[in-house]
């Protein structure tokens, strides 16, 4: 757009005659990319004043400014144009409105409390195979973000998708005028009302103003989980746009979770890793590069961009990669790595750059390259399409902070699952217990592995936050929360988590909270106390009252009823187990008789599955066995976790000396003593010290000498050929947690779950 046209569109007083063609609008000076065709809006906010950046932008080549006050430099800068307006933000919005009016295409406006960006991105994923979609970059949904988004409409745009968010009354009218949606999508209202709104009603009314001129507005069907509601909205919109049902379902099935964050991680060799897993497009690439440039720790490090092939609908690859090259140049990237056949084929687009550019056909190729091995002292921005598996680059770059690691064999987890599956009927569902961070192995990775296994019906964790973490990491299986806290109900609702209910107190509170949140039909799991005397309803006395309460509400639905054996691991409790089972059936039968739908039954834990397969009923709860330890005899099924470290230092110590605190490490001979970096702060039991247990060095037993310290302990390697840097196994296939547990009079569960979080988990598939 010519600057003179813009001046008249926004009713500005123009100072300066230069005839400039404007392609880019800028409100944040740090994001400057194409100075000669950029129009900078000097906006005043409570936090800052854009006018102070004009001089700097001028020196960087910007020649067009929208200002509220003509700055001093105007006099001496004859090649500039200043458009003076009363309010720069309003002018920006006005300009976007005029731009919008040029397009007679469907425009989808999205608002609501949660899920806006997810719905926007999913609609993009579903529609972009057939049409050129223009959408808000990331969550550009504010008074400034919306006009910048709408400015992105261009001649090829066939549909626009824009999200709008407000923080106080009066803002939505402005956004409505800019977006002018023809189709509205309302993702729902969060349970809290923000400080600037008097009530939920007011907030709803304000948000609804976005749809003032929409012919059609979609809302999710009531009662759906957040995730299902987002999918339902996409389904409805695509159907409205004429997409055939089979195509819709096919594309819904392929939707990828939306990661909204740029992750920053410390890497090795002085590298800082910025991981951008957000959908790849030019806008978000620019934003990520701005983010890189703004990192305070960037000084003295070179900027590296690693980018994969990007498929962008409606733009020819040549043009696209030329744009990328321009961005690379403008953002001062010093080293550019392109990965993928397409970007490699367009290497010529990058010929003119000052940056050093290299291209690799595959991620593996790059990982094996000299360039990767030599990467030092850099800020590395990593941005790749999912199928290029750039997480491998991140993993390889990550710093090993603590030399002690817990190696987790995910293949063995599946093998153990199959071991227990062999005791079960094919239609018995398995609830995999991933509480306590999957018994120390890491709940997220273990759950990702289990998620794709048939017969796994549920994942179970102890508290709501553990469930939320799984959901945020793309786990979609039903999740049971064994010990929901009273303060966590909103988390349950938001993340579609299914709580265990064990008392009237929690039942009443949950019903009240769910009713307040307008929830109906939320699945819950009723726990009976049949002999553990920990948590649960008494099946012999409390069923009538429980049934009565459940029947007089619609917020919750009993999905399952269960109890827990106290001694399925030992034959000596068989008689008591039978009594527990009898009591359980009394309660389960009573509840079932009161409801028309089938209520799932489960009681067996790992030991129970093997010992009482006849009591498997509808589901079983598999815990310890999944992690490779058979609770029946403490044998190893398939070893999952190996706790490993390396020798820090070796001392030759005279027999007359002692080792460690309080001189507890008495020696009987001249010895070689190795120090290893694990201590009680890593969860390593102090009782292992003073020869009670041993580690393995090159396969041989090295007893602990003296007291275990906080971060370090000592082992006797007198008879073991070894040197500093050698590996030490603390537990694993050759030295089982069961054996260590015996030495200090505890159970393997405690050994596994004690390994502290500062010990890095490393995963592999054998
Ligand atoms: C932890 C737990 C299990 C799993 O027990 P394992 O002995 O590890 O198989 C089963 N049910 C409940 C209620 C639990 O809390």
């Amino acid at each position: 757009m010519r600057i003179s046209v813009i001046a008249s569109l926004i009713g500005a007083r123009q100072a300066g005659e230069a005839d400039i063609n404007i392609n880019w609008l800028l409100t944040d000076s740090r994001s400057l990319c194409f100075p000669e065709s950029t129009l900078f809006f000097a906006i005043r906010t409570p936090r800052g004043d854009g006018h102070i950046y004009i001089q700097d932008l001028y020196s960087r080549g910007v020649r067009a400014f929208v200002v509220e006050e003509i700055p001093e430099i105007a006099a001496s800068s004859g090649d500039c144009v200043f458009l003076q307006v009363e309010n720069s933000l309003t002018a920006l919005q006005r300009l976007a409105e005029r731009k919008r009016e040029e397009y007679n295409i469907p425009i989808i406006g999205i608002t609501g409390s949660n899920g806006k960006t997810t719905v926007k991105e999913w609609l993009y994923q579903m529609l972009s195979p057939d049409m050129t979609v223009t959408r808000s970059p990331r969550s550009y949904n504010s008074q400034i973000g919306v006009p910048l988004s709408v400015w992105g409409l261009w001649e090829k745009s066939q549909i626009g998708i824009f999200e709008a968010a407000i923080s106080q009354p009066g803002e939505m009218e402005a956004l409505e005028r800019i977006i002018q949606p023809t189709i509205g999508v309302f993702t729902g209202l969060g349970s809290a009302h923000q400080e600037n709104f008097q009530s939920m009603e007011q907030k709803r009314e304000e948000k609804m103003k976005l749809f003032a001129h929409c012919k059609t507005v979609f809302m999710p069907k009531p009662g759906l989980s957040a995730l299902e509601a987002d999918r339902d909205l996409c389904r409805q919109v695509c159907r409205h746009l004429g997409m055939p049902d089979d195509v819709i379902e096919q594309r819904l099935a392929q939707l990828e979770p939306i990661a909204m964050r740029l992750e920053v991680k410390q890497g090795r060799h002085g590298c800082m890793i910025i991981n951008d897993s957000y959908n790849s497009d030019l806008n978000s690439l620019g934003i990520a590069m701005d983010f890189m440039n703004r990192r305070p720790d960037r000084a003295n490090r070179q900027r590296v961009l690693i980018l994969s092939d990007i498929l962008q609908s409606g733009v020819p690859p040549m043009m696209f990669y030329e744009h990328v090259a321009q961005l690379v140049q403008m953002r001062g990237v010093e080293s550019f790595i392109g990965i993928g056949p397409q970007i490699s084929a367009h290497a010529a687009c990058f010929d003119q750059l000052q940056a050093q550019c290299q291209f690799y056909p595959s991620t593996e190729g790059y990982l094996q390259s000299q360039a990767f091995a030599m990467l030092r002292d850099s800020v590395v921005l990593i941005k790749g399409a999912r199928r290029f598996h750039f997480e491998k680059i991140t993993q390889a770059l990550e710093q090993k902070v603590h030399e002690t690691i817990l190696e987790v064999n995910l293949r063995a987890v599946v093998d153990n699952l199959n071991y227990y599956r062999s005791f079960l009927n094919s239609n018995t569902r398995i609830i995999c217990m991933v509480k306590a961070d999957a018994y120390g192995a890491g709940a997220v990775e273990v759950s990702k592995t289990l998620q794709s296994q048939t017969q796994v019906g549920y994942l179970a964790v102890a508290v709501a936050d553990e469930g939320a973490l799984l959901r945020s990491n793309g786990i979609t299986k039903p999740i049971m929360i064994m010990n929901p806290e009273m303060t966590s109900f909103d988390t349950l609702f938001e993340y579609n988590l299914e709580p265990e209910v064990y008392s009237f107190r929690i039942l009443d509170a949950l019903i009240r909270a769910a009713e307040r949140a307008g929830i109906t039909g939320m699945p819950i799991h009723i726990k009976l106390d049949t002999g553990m005397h920990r948590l649960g309803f008494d099946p012999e006395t409390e069923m009538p009252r429980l049934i009565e309460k459940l029947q007089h509400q619609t917020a919750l639905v009993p999905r399952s009823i269960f109890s827990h054996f106290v001694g399925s691991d030992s034959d000596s409790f068989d008689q008591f187990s039978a009594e527990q089972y009898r009591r359980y059936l009394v309660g389960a039968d009573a509840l079932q008789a009161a409801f028309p739908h089938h209520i799932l039954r489960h009681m067996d834990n790992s030991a129970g599955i093997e010992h009482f397969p006849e009591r498997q009923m509808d589901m079983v709860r598999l815990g310890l066995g999944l992690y490779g330890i058979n609770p029946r005899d403490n044998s190893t099924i398939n070893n999952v976790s190996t706790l490993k470290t390396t020798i820090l230092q070796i001392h030759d110590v005279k027999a007359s000396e002692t080792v460690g605190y309080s001189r507890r490490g008495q020696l009987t001979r001249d010895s070689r003593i190795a120090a290893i970096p694990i201590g009680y702060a890593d969860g390593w039991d102090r009782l292992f010290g003073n020869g009670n247990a041993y580690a393995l060095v090159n396969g041989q037993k090295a007893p602990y000498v003296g007291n275990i310290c906080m971060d370090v302990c000592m082992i006797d390697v007198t008879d073991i050929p070894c040197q500093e840097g050698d590996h030490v196994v603390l537990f694993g296939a050759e030295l089982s947690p069961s054996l260590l547990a015996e030495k200090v009079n505890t159970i393997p569960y405690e050994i596994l779950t004690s390994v502290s979080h500062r010990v890095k988990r490393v995963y592999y598939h054998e």
Side-chain angles (χ1 to χ4, degrees), residues 249-304:
E249 294 311 317
Q250 194 188 337
R251 289 185 186 168
L252 275 174
Q254 287 166 4
L255 290 179
E256 293 176 348
I258 307 300
M260 238 86 70
R261 247 180 242 135
L262 289 163
E263 290 171 352
V264 182
K265 291 181 180 161
Q266 278 295 343
R268 59 175 167 85
H269 302 316
C271 290
M272 167 73 60
I273 312 160
I274 303 175
N275 197 356
D276 181 12
S277 45
Y278 191 77
N279 284 18
S280 297
D281 63 54
L282 211 54
N283 277 324
S284 70
L285 177 61
I287 293 168
M289 287 163 89
D290 289 343
F291 180 82
M292 166 162 74
N293 285 346
R294 282 173 210 166
R295 294 287 313 168
D297 38 19
R298 190 180 76 62
N300 305 323
R301 300 189 194 188
Q302 70 161 352
R303 277 163 284 180
V304 180

Side-chain angles (χ1 to χ4, degrees), residues 433 435 439 482 527 534 562 564 605-607 621-625 631 749:
M433 308 303 289
K435 60 190 181 188
Y439 290 48
M482 307 309 283
K527 186 179 213 174
R534 186 171 62 178
F562 71 104
H564 197 32
N605 55 358
S606 301
R621 299 186 305 274
L622 179 58
L624 191 67
Y749 297 77

Side-chain angles (χ1 to χ4, degrees), residues 425-726:
N425 305 325
S426 63
N427 55 358
T428 304
R429 299 292 104 183
I430 301 169
I431 302 168
C432 287
M433 308 303 289
V434 293
K435 60 190 181 188
D437 209 18
Y439 290 48
V444 169
E445 290 305 319
V446 168
S447 300
K448 281 185 189 164
T449 300
L450 294 171
Q451 164 135 296
S452 55
Q453 295 295 317
T454 52
Q455 230 176 315
V456 174
Y458 271 90
L459 299 168
V461 291
V463 295
D465 279 349
E466 293 178 293
L469 178 74
L470 296 182
R471 284 282 182 257
S472 319
N473 282 282
I475 304 297
T476 52
K477 276 255 190 254
I479 297 178
M480 213 178 267
I481 307 295
M482 307 309 283
N483 201 353
E485 318 93 305
M486 293 281 189
T487 50
S488 72
F489 293 160
D490 282 341
T491 311
L492 301 179
F493 303 152
E494 182 177 349
Y495 290 97
N496 188 21
L497 307 170
E498 304 179 17
E500 161 185 322
V501 170
Y502 54 81
S503 71
F504 288 114
R505 192 171 72 99
I506 196 155
L507 177 66
D508 292 341
L510 189 61
I511 292 174
R512 237 177 302 132
E515 284 176 347
R516 224 180 302 124
I519 283 168
T520 54
M522 175 182 189
I524 59 167
H525 304 273
I526 303 290
K527 186 179 213 174
L528 300 180
D529 175 14
T530 57
M532 177 80 100
H533 302 314
R534 186 171 62 178
L535 299 173
F537 293 99
D538 184 334
E540 323 241 70
T541 61
E542 293 185 320
M543 295 314 289
R545 184 161 159 232
L546 174 62
I547 289 166
E548 148 93 16
K549 276 191 187 282
L550 286 172
Q551 280 179 331
H552 285 88
Q553 55 83 50
T554 54
L556 313 180
V557 176
R559 179 82 182 100
S560 84
I561 182 161
F562 71 104
S563 189
H564 197 32
F565 287 119
V566 301
S568 52
D569 53 340
S570 164
D571 295 353
S572 59
F573 301 117
D574 281 358
Q575 218 178 341
F576 189 69
S577 296
E579 170 60 11
Q580 277 195 284
Y581 186 60
R582 186 197 65 75
R583 292 179 193 168
Y584 167 77
L585 290 179
V586 170
D589 288 347
L591 185 72
Q592 182 62 79
F595 285 90
H597 71 279
H598 178 65
I599 300 171
L600 298 167
R601 299 174 176 221
H602 46 111
M603 189 135 180
D604 275 344
N605 55 358
S606 301
I609 297 171
E610 197 162 343
H611 197 35
F612 315 123
E614 70 280 7
R615 294 175 187 154
Q616 61 186 273
M617 301 184 281
D618 296 307
M619 303 201 284
V620 294
R621 299 186 305 274
L622 179 58
L624 191 67
L626 197 52
Y627 307 99
I629 297 174
N630 187 331
R632 292 280 301 157
D633 59 6
N634 281 336
S635 66
T636 301
I637 311 167
N638 297 282
N639 186 65
V640 169
S641 294
T642 304
L643 184 63
K644 273 186 175 174
T645 189
T646 53
I647 295 177
L648 293 175
Q649 191 176 24
I650 297 178
H651 287 291
D652 289 309
V653 185
K654 287 263 173 303
S656 56
E657 290 288 304
T658 58
V659 176
Y661 281 118
S662 309
R663 306 206 65 184
R664 283 292 303 279
Q666 310 270 351
L667 302 178
T668 54
R669 54 174 179 169
D670 291 352
S671 307
R672 283 182 89 215
I673 302 296
I676 54 176
I678 185 159
Y680 57 81
D682 299 290
W684 209 234
D685 202 319
R686 273 186 89 249
L687 296 177
F688 290 145
N690 300 308
N692 283 336
Y694 58 85
L696 292 177
V697 178
N698 297 325
Q700 299 185 49
K701 295 178 186 176
Y704 294 100
V705 188
N707 284 328
I708 307 270
C709 310
M710 186 186 285
D711 309 302
V712 179
C713 61
M714 280 68 86
I715 50 178
D716 184 344
V717 293
T718 312
D719 300 321
I720 307 172
C722 62
Q723 56 188 24
E724 292 176 1
D726 277 4

